Amino acid sequence: MQGKVHFRPDRNFYYVQWTQYKISRYKGFLCRDGEISGMTGEQMANRLLAVIQGDFDSCASRNLPFSIAKYLEQNIDTIPYLRKWLKANQKTLSPATYRDYNNSIENHLIPWLKENKYRLHELKYDVLCDLLDGINRAGKGKKNVMYCLHKCLDDALKSEHILSMPRFPEKKKYRIIKKKRKGLPSDRQEKIFDFIPKEHLPIFLFLKYHFRRPSEACALHKIDYDRQRDLFVIRRTFSNKVLVDYTKTDQEHEIPCNPLFKPIMEAMPKTFGPFFFENPSRDCKTKNAGRHYTISGLEHIWNKARDLAGETISLYPGTKHSSCWQFLNEKGGTKDELQALTDHANRESVDVYADMEIDRKRSLMVKFNKVQIAPGLPQPEKEASNQ
């Protein structure tokens, strides 16, 4: 009969040796004297071995696969493990990522697990599909919750708390509808800029000319501008309102100073703080006058100007997205060129800006019509040449 009971004198408990696995808990209790009333540690281990052997024989008689995972010490309650995992990783996560993971765990995963009591090793493909259906969020929101769980289970696998990584639901099950990132044409964007107070214009023009995120502009320091090479080094950002010394992609980005921004930068008033852009006034409902801009402060300035211009677009799409959109649809730039400008590692991140305009599509149709006419249709009359 497979399996044997052994004693570990240095820790004073018994365990079952089953193939390469050492199993030392029976009904969640360590196989040691005094853990369960009326049973010695050796009796607990022998009872555990009998249960495992019975399960093994039952699976064999029914030609079913036998899994030792449920008997291992890794037979872990999922809810406390999720919280413990997040706490253990808090220092290595960005503040924004920690906030999103905490939201996924507390507001989506734990409520579902309280109703569907699955332990960590029981989170298999069919269970994860049920979980996906039970998440009360839209497609992208569902994906974020499942990504959080995937990261947690990946760490659990590395720590040998589970024996294998479960298959997650296929991409199509998330029902994510890819939306093109809309941007404003130059004339409508300029109209918004006309309503932005002049003392605040430099940071908004920096966003327009350099294709960067608002959080990166707020975090930019004077030492991040290399005057000799005439470029900006994007090496820090604000994450959930906390200044961090890394970017969203964990990479530094060297961005040449746009010649159109150079005279704007040189005309900026001299300041004595470390930040490249300092908020010169309290006229934007922030407490950072004389210090760095905040995202909420920029949004307040932008929203006020946007409303005066009769637009509804928010800050991020009104600046970075609009610049990317204009580069492709107004300036005739290519996706490859835009990817080089924005330092996007993933080509799909650039594709969302490539919303080919109807006029461009129409011109392509006209180009097609010039070289091919459907059979059976009258040929277009050629224009009479000038004699």
Side-chain angles (χ1 to χ4, degrees):
M1 184 68 70
Q2 189 171 350
K4 289 185 178 181
V5 171
H6 296 274
F7 178 64
R8 184 169 174 177
D10 61 322
R11 301 287 297 277
N12 193 33
F13 67 81
Y14 291 83
Y15 64 91
V16 172
Q17 182 75 49
W18 187 273
T19 63
Q20 75 269 33
Y21 302 108
K22 295 179 180 180
I23 310 165
S24 59
R25 290 188 179 273
Y26 174 62
K27 293 185 177 181
F29 295 94
L30 191 63
C31 295
R32 184 167 54 194
D33 295 351
E35 291 290 323
I36 295 181
S37 179
M39 294 182 69
T40 65
E42 186 175 10
Q43 289 173 332
M44 292 170 64
N46 281 307
R47 185 74 60 85
L48 173 61
L49 176 59
V51 172
I52 296 174
Q53 289 174 338
D55 190 11
F56 179 83
D57 292 340
S58 176
C59 289
S61 65
R62 292 181 293 167
N63 198 28
L64 296 174
F66 170 74
S67 174
I68 194 63
K70 59 186 175 181
Y71 299 104
L72 298 174
E73 288 186 82
Q74 292 88 334
N75 185 17
I76 296 171
D77 189 356
T78 308
I79 291 177
Y81 184 80
L82 283 167
R83 287 174 170 152
K84 181 180 178 181
W85 168 79
L86 183 61
K87 184 177 180 180
N89 287 275
Q90 183 173 1
K91 292 183 179 179
T92 60
L93 297 173
S94 72
T97 300
Y98 176 82
R99 178 197 60 195
D100 291 343
Y101 281 2
N102 186 67
N103 174 63
S104 294
I105 290 172
E106 296 296 335
N107 297 327
H108 300 284
L109 292 174
I110 287 179
W112 188 87
L113 287 165
K114 284 182 177 178
E115 294 183 5
N116 305 271
K117 302 183 183 301
Y118 289 101
R119 301 182 77 80
L120 204 62
H121 70 276
E122 296 174 322
L123 298 178
K124 304 299 183 183
Y125 173 78
D126 55 343
V127 175
L128 296 177
C129 288
D130 290 340
L131 168 61
L132 180 65
D133 290 339
I135 298 173
N136 187 25
R137 298 188 74 180
K140 183 63 166 58
K142 288 177 180 284
K143 182 179 179 182
N144 290 344
V145 175
M146 298 299 282
Y147 181 80
C148 170
L149 180 60
H150 190 284
K151 291 290 291 182
C152 178
L153 292 181
D154 187 46
D155 285 354
L157 178 64
K158 294 173 184 175
S159 301
E160 299 183 355
H161 294 314
I162 56 176
L163 299 180
S164 61
M165 190 70 176
R167 295 283 299 274
F168 271 66
E170 296 83 357
K171 200 173 182 179
K172 64 180 181 180
K173 291 183 180 292
Y174 292 83
R175 298 187 178 276
I176 298 175
I177 300 175
K178 286 190 175 181
K179 297 180 179 180
K180 295 294 184 181
R181 287 180 177 169
K182 294 292 185 180
L184 290 178
S186 298
D187 56 342
R188 291 169 59 187
Q189 186 190 53
E190 291 294 337
K191 188 176 180 181
I192 296 176
F193 282 8
D194 288 342
F195 288 103
I196 294 177
K198 290 183 179 180
E199 64 268 24
H200 298 303
L201 261 179
I203 190 170
F204 290 96
L205 291 173
F206 174 85
L207 294 173
K208 172 181 173 63
Y209 291 138
H210 297 95
F211 306 87
R212 303 316 303 176
R213 299 180 179 89
S215 57
E216 294 171 342
C218 290
L220 195 68
H221 280 49
K222 292 174 182 175
I223 60 173
D224 297 332
Y225 174 64
D226 187 332
R227 187 171 297 276
Q228 185 175 1
R229 300 171 65 198
D230 194 23
L231 58 80
F232 296 97
V233 181
I234 308 298
R235 54 166 62 97
R236 55 178 65 87
T237 188
F238 278 96
S239 177
N240 194 26
K241 301 182 180 180
V242 177
L243 180 65
V244 293
D245 291 326
Y246 49 82
T247 65
K248 184 179 180 181
T249 58
D250 291 324
Q251 293 181 343
E252 288 190 355
H253 305 278
E254 292 187 342
I255 309 298
C257 180
N258 191 314
L260 294 176
F261 184 72
K262 197 71 176 290
I264 298 166
M265 177 178 66
E266 292 175 348
M268 288 169 55
K270 185 176 181 179
T271 58
F272 300 95
F275 289 91
F276 192 89
F277 297 106
E278 291 193 358
N279 180 6
S281 72
R282 296 183 183 273
D283 192 30
C284 54
K285 290 189 178 180
T286 71
K287 298 179 180 179
N288 286 297
R291 296 188 293 159
H292 66 80
Y293 283 92
T294 63
I295 301 299
S296 59
L298 285 183
E299 288 174 341
H300 178 77
I301 298 169
W302 174 268
N303 292 344
K304 188 174 180 180
R306 172 202 68 187
D307 294 343
L308 291 172
E311 298 287 352
T312 59
I313 196 167
S314 57
L315 173 64
Y316 200 132
T319 51
K320 182 182 178 182
H321 292 181
S322 292
S323 294
C324 293
W325 185 90
Q326 292 163 16
F327 183 83
L328 292 175
N329 294 285
E330 294 182 357
K331 311 302 181 183
T334 66
K335 293 181 185 179
D336 289 334
E337 291 170 336
L338 180 59
Q339 186 174 4
L341 278 173
T342 58
D343 278 345
H344 277 111
N346 192 334
R347 178 60 177 267
E348 291 183 1
S349 299
V350 176
D351 289 341
V352 295
Y353 296 111
D355 185 18
M356 186 177 287
E357 290 301 281
I358 293 297
D359 288 342
R360 185 181 292 189
K361 292 180 180 180
R362 185 176 287 112
S363 66
L364 290 176
M365 285 184 177
V366 172
K367 182 178 180 180
F368 175 80
N369 292 342
K370 289 180 179 178
V371 298
Q372 181 174 337
I373 301 298
L377 293 179
Q379 300 292 318
E381 295 183 5
K382 294 183 179 180
E383 293 183 1
S385 58
N386 293 330
Q387 299 295 328

